[in-house]
């Protein structure tokens, strides 16, 4: 009896060799026995599926980027088929250009105001329209319409609005007793940039409103109601309950708007052309004027390349932050 118990105990205490090895290291899964012909077929299918995208990337990104880098190191005037190599001369001239720093300052103003303002307006409109019923469709269309209009048309119409003589803005100010504020909005160096910026904010806010309103549909309203019962005010509910749940989407529209501030061109070109006296010049208009008006293709390309270099770190940082929040399960 004693021997039987001892044998039983020994059998339990000493596991078999395969089990002991399994405890010391992970078991390796057997490799899938895929025939070589199947692997080759899968590889061909994968190449076929990604080929259209790769063609687009190469055609519209890699080739233009390579051309821009090439032209930045030569002196090309648009005519000479064999432009001379000048090395870093274009970059040295750029950083010594007295027009560069005012243009960078205007870009910085555009990035800060042109990013924060439409985000706040779009978020406020989305919160107001959050629980609106069928009538919300009309509001969404009305607010989104300016974004899908051509920027040329938007610039022309707002140019009429800001007209110092016949523009309804000055007439409206006169009608309400604020005639002392009348000015040539696009002709005054102190107001021209902010007038164009107000136009861009008006055109962009509708896009942000629609995107954030769609994100709000996925917010857990039970948490919002529970926080209201706990005594949280509106700002606390927004900051601690709503924004964390829509943060990846919020960062996405922030990235689009912020990067657009580096490359802004069309609305400024239509409304002011960079004037008066360079008051609304940004890097985009500076690059255009040098490349296509002064026939300094290489110098204009250098400015455009610097625009890209400045925008990439912000886009990468915001994209990584958005991805990290999405992987953590935060947001809509």
């Amino acid at each position: 009896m004693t021997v039987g118990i001892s044998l039983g105990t020994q059998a339990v205490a000493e596991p078999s060799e395969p089990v002991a090895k399994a405890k010391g290291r992970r078991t390796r899964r057997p490799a899938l026995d895929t025939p070589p012909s199947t692997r080759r077929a899968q590889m061909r299918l994968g190449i076929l599926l990604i080929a259209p995208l790769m063609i687009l990337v190469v055609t519209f990104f890699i080739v233009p980027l390579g051309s821009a880098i090439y032209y930045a190191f030569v002196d090309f005037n648009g005519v000479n088929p064999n432009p001379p190599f000048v090395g870093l001369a274009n970059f040295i001239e750029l950083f010594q250009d007295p027009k560069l720093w005012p243009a960078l300052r205007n870009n910085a103003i555009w990035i800060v105001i042109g990013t924060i303002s439409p985000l706040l307006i779009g978020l406020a409109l989305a919160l107001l329209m959050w629980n609106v019923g069928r009538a919300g469709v009309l509001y969404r269309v009305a607010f989104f319409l300016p974004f899908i209009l051509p920027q040329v048309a938007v610039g022309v119409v707002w140019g009429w609005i800001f007209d110092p003589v016949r523009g309804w803005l000055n007439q409206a100010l006169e009608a309400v007793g604020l005639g002392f504020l009348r000015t040539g909005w696009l002709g005054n160096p102190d107001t021209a940039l902010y007038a164009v910026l107000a136009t861009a904010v008006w055109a962009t806010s509708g896009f942000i409103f629609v995107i954030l309103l769609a994100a709000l549909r996925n917010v857990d309203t039970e948490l919002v109601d529970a926080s209201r019962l706990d005594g949280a005010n509106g700002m606390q509910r927004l900051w601690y309950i709503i924004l964390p749940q829509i943060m990846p989407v919020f960062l996405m529209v922030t990235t689009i708007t912020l990067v657009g501030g580096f490359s802004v061109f069309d609305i400024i070109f239509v409304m002011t052309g960079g004037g008066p006296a360079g008051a609304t010049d940004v890097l985009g208009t500076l690059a255009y004027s040098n490349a296509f008006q002064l026939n300094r293709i290489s110098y204009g390309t250098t400015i455009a390349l610097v625009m890209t270099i400045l925008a990439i770190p912000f886009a990468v940082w915001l994209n990584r932050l958005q991805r990290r929040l999405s992987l953590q399960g935060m947001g809509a």
Side-chain angles (χ1 to χ4, degrees):
M1 188 68 178
T2 306
V3 175
I5 295 175
S6 63
L7 291 176
T9 305
Q10 184 179 5
V12 174
E14 296 181 0
S16 60
E17 184 178 355
V19 176
K21 290 182 178 180
K23 289 183 178 180
R25 63 183 180 182
R26 292 183 178 179
T27 58
R28 183 176 299 175
R29 294 182 179 180
L32 296 177
D33 189 11
T34 305
S37 60
T38 303
R39 290 198 296 268
R40 287 193 296 268
Q42 292 175 346
M43 183 181 300
R44 288 194 296 269
L45 178 60
I47 294 174
L48 182 64
L49 291 175
I50 68 173
L53 177 61
M54 294 305 299
I55 292 173
L56 292 176
V57 170
V58 171
T59 304
F60 296 104
F61 180 74
I62 302 298
V63 173
L65 181 60
S67 299
I69 295 174
Y70 166 73
Y71 285 123
F73 291 95
V74 298
D75 186 13
F76 182 55
N77 58 3
V79 178
N80 187 0
N82 298 310
F85 179 79
V86 296
L88 298 175
N90 288 318
F91 292 93
I92 295 173
E93 181 184 356
L94 175 61
F95 289 104
Q96 294 176 349
D97 191 344
K99 295 182 180 179
L100 173 66
W101 306 111
L104 274 176
R105 179 183 61 85
N106 291 339
N107 263 113
I109 294 173
W110 194 285
I111 290 168
V112 174
I113 300 178
T115 300
I116 295 176
S117 298
L119 284 174
L120 294 178
I121 295 173
L123 179 60
L125 292 175
L127 292 172
L128 289 174
M129 298 291 109
W130 189 2
N131 295 318
V132 176
R134 294 182 178 179
V137 177
L138 299 177
Y139 291 107
R140 289 197 296 270
V141 172
F143 287 120
F144 189 68
L145 185 61
F147 179 76
I148 62 176
L149 291 175
Q151 291 292 298
V152 174
V154 172
V156 170
V157 171
W158 276 87
W160 295 340
I161 294 173
F162 288 124
D163 186 272
V165 179
R166 297 182 300 274
W168 68 258
L169 179 57
N170 280 340
Q171 295 180 3
L173 291 174
E174 188 73 32
V176 298
L178 298 176
F180 62 93
L181 294 178
R182 290 172 59 100
T183 185
W185 298 96
L186 299 179
N188 186 345
D190 296 329
T191 59
L193 179 64
Y194 299 99
V196 181
L197 186 52
T199 305
V201 169
W202 173 82
T204 308
S205 299
F207 165 74
I208 298 176
F209 156 67
V210 171
I211 299 299
L212 293 183
L213 182 62
L216 287 175
R217 304 295 185 187
N218 296 322
V219 171
D220 190 351
T221 55
E222 293 183 357
L223 291 177
V224 179
D225 294 336
S227 62
R228 184 183 291 109
L229 293 176
D230 289 339
N233 56 37
M235 186 57 65
Q236 291 172 333
R237 293 195 300 270
L238 173 63
W239 186 258
Y240 294 106
I241 305 297
I242 298 175
L243 275 181
Q245 297 189 62
I246 66 171
M247 187 54 67
V249 178
F250 191 83
L251 288 176
M252 182 268 292
V253 295
T254 301
T255 304
I256 295 174
T257 309
L258 187 144
V259 173
F262 285 97
S263 59
V264 59
F265 167 76
D266 46 4
I267 193 72
I268 295 178
F269 181 76
V270 171
M271 296 185 69
T272 63
T280 59
D281 250 337
V282 291
L283 293 178
T285 57
L286 194 62
Y288 173 85
S289 62
N290 279 277
F292 299 106
Q293 293 178 347
L294 302 178
N295 292 328
R296 304 191 62 193
I297 305 297
S298 291
Y299 188 62
T301 304
T302 303
I303 299 174
L305 196 60
V306 169
M307 289 168 49
T308 304
I309 294 172
L310 291 175
I312 286 176
F314 293 94
V316 171
W317 175 68
L318 289 171
N319 184 61
R320 287 185 175 180
L321 182 58
Q322 177 191 0
R323 183 181 179 186
R324 184 164 67 247
L325 293 177
S326 298
L327 292 177
Q328 290 175 355
M330 178 184 294

